[in-house]
Amino acid sequence: MARNNAKDIFLNYIKEKGLRYTKQREAILEAFLASGKHITIDDLYNTVKKTNQEIGYATVHRNLKLMTECGLADEIKIGSHKTRFEQKYGHEHHDHLICMKCGKFIEVHDDKIERLQEKLAEANDFAPQRHKLEIYGLCKKCR
Amino acid sequence: MARNNAKDIFLNYIKEKGLRYTKQREAILEAFLASGKHITIDDLYNTVKKTNQEIGYATVHRNLKLMTECGLADEIKIGSHKTRFEQKYGHEHHDHLICMKCGKFIEVHDDKIERLQEKLAEANDFAPQRHKLEIYGLCKKCR
DNA sequence: ATTAATATTGATAATTATTATCAATATAGC
DNA sequence: GCTATATTGATAATAATTATCAATATTAAT
Ligand SMILES: [Mn+2]
Ligand SMILES: [Mn+2]
Ligand SMILES: [Zn+2]
Ligand SMILES: [Zn+2]
């Protein structure tokens, strides 16, 4: 299943790079794969801390970066807030509607928009690699 | 012309809010309206410093915020870099293609994408107010 | 023009988030 | 087990933004 594949990707990446698999690294990986959407470093730090008292903040930070490098995680930077991470492996690409009042993230996807973006880039002799589409406004409850 | 209208907008905003029109404020406004695209606070600070030796960084920062509030400027936050500002008044809305190698910004606009975004928001009971579309990749020269 | 109320300024401190440093320790291959 | 070295955790450094505050400037009223 996806959980195990994700773990394999991480383990392979670790091995390829000549890195080592530590207890902390495992705890952080597990916690991340079990996490919900759009978590901050603090979120993950606090979660891991419960079962791993002596974990350091920097270690969580470093390993989230590592998971991002190997494609398991995606960084999301919203406004001036702190960086959030979300699971990427086994999750389709999507964009976000962000409520300016309650902070809710709605995940959306529109193939037409995606294709038009490709065209738009092409028309400008630009080779797109990734994009960020964030629509800010008010959600159903807040408007 | 646009330059004067922009200035009027700022002056009206100042007056409405019971604020005061200072030499520094005027210098910063003029410099901003004469500025090119996507400038940082430092950029504007250095420009204004040439004719206004004793200007403070915080004053430039505060006034850029003020210009943003009244609709003259737009903030652009790219990756982890510092905030950039661009002129908004008299400039059509656009999105950006950003070269990951040379840092070039290409300004683009696609009405179809804009309309599809509206639809997408609507389909999610979301009232969109503004959005950010950034496509990262390689420009003609860099690929 | 004086005055009084208060908004603004500039220097600097505080805050926030991220990243670097480094000695102690843990890991992996032999 | 031994060795080379990657990792960790505490903390410092960095970077960007925002807050503080006493001195000063602006505005409107007199
Ligand atoms: Mn998401
Ligand atoms: Mn632009
Ligand atoms: Zn909401
Ligand atoms: Zn380029």
Side-chain angles (χ1 to χ4, degrees):
Chain A
M1 65 207 63
R3 181 71 54 87
N4 284 331
N5 288 340
K7 195 165 180 174
D8 287 346
I9 287 173
F10 191 62
L11 292 178
N12 286 337
Y13 186 74
I14 291 288
K15 183 150 280 184
E16 275 172 23
K17 284 264 205 170
L19 306 180
R20 294 168 185 181
Y21 196 58
T22 65
K23 297 183 205 320
Q24 292 93 333
R25 199 156 268 173
E26 175 162 35
I28 294 165
L29 172 65
E30 297 286 1
F32 176 67
L33 293 179
S35 77
K37 299 173 187 304
H38 317 132
I39 60 167
T40 61
I41 298 176
D42 295 273
D43 293 337
L44 196 56
Y45 173 65
N46 289 322
T47 300
V48 176
K49 199 116 209 245
K50 287 175 190 162
T51 58
N52 209 324
Q53 231 77 49
E54 70 295 343
I55 199 92
Y57 185 90
T59 300
V60 176
H61 171 266
R62 279 184 294 236
N63 281 288
L64 267 172
K65 287 288 179 188
L66 211 56
M67 289 188 260
T68 302
E69 274 175 46
C70 74
L72 288 190
D74 235 359
E75 287 192 10
I76 314 173
K77 290 173 193 260
I78 297 297
S80 60
H81 301 59
K82 59 179 62 171
T83 302
R84 289 173 178 277
F85 295 82
E86 68 179 350
Q87 293 190 53
K88 188 176 182 184
Y89 181 81
H91 297 247
E92 291 298 316
H93 163 75
H94 59 266
D95 298 305
H96 297 107
L97 309 184
I98 301 154
C99 180
M100 288 159 50
K101 195 167 176 187
C102 71
K104 181 179 179 187
F105 285 50
I106 301 171
E107 303 193 335
V108 294
H109 184 82
D110 186 323
D111 266 323
K112 279 186 197 162
I113 292 179
E114 300 285 328
R115 269 180 275 128
L116 285 171
Q117 284 180 27
E118 295 278 343
K119 275 193 187 175
L120 183 58
E122 197 180 327
N124 285 275
D125 284 313
F126 190 87
Q129 297 195 359
R130 61 192 175 80
H131 67 267
K132 174 197 280 190
L133 171 60
E134 293 162 0
I135 303 179
Y136 295 85
L138 296 175
C139 77
K140 193 177 183 177
K141 287 181 185 170
C142 294
R143 61 166 154 175
Chain B
M1 64 208 65
R3 181 69 53 88
N4 284 332
N5 288 340
K7 194 164 182 176
D8 286 347
I9 288 173
F10 190 63
L11 292 179
N12 285 337
Y13 186 75
I14 291 289
K15 183 150 281 184
E16 274 172 23
K17 284 264 204 171
L19 305 181
R20 295 169 184 180
Y21 198 58
T22 65
K23 296 183 207 321
Q24 292 92 332
R25 199 155 267 172
E26 174 161 36
I28 292 165
L29 172 65
E30 296 286 1
F32 175 67
L33 294 179
S35 76
K37 298 174 187 304
H38 318 130
I39 60 168
T40 61
I41 298 177
D42 295 273
D43 291 338
L44 195 57
Y45 173 64
N46 289 322
T47 301
V48 175
K49 200 118 210 248
K50 287 175 191 162
T51 57
N52 210 324
Q53 231 80 49
E54 70 296 341
I55 198 93
Y57 185 90
T59 300
V60 176
H61 172 267
R62 280 185 293 237
N63 280 288
L64 267 171
K65 289 286 180 191
L66 211 56
M67 289 189 260
T68 302
E69 273 175 47
C70 74
L72 288 191
D74 235 359
E75 286 192 11
I76 314 173
K77 289 172 193 262
I78 296 298
S80 60
H81 300 59
K82 57 179 65 170
T83 302
R84 289 174 177 278
F85 295 82
E86 67 179 352
Q87 293 190 55
K88 188 176 181 184
Y89 182 81
H91 297 248
E92 289 300 315
H93 163 75
H94 58 267
D95 298 305
H96 296 109
L97 310 183
I98 301 154
C99 180
M100 289 157 53
K101 196 166 175 187
C102 71
K104 182 180 179 185
F105 286 50
I106 301 171
E107 305 194 333
V108 294
H109 184 82
D110 186 323
D111 265 323
K112 280 186 197 162
I113 292 179
E114 301 285 329
R115 270 181 273 128
L116 286 171
Q117 284 180 27
E118 295 278 342
K119 277 193 185 175
L120 183 58
E122 197 181 327
N124 285 276
D125 283 315
F126 189 87
Q129 296 195 0
R130 61 191 175 82
H131 68 266
K132 174 198 282 192
L133 171 59
E134 292 163 1
I135 302 178
Y136 295 85
L138 296 175
C139 77
K140 193 178 185 178
K141 287 182 185 170
C142 294
R143 61 166 154 177

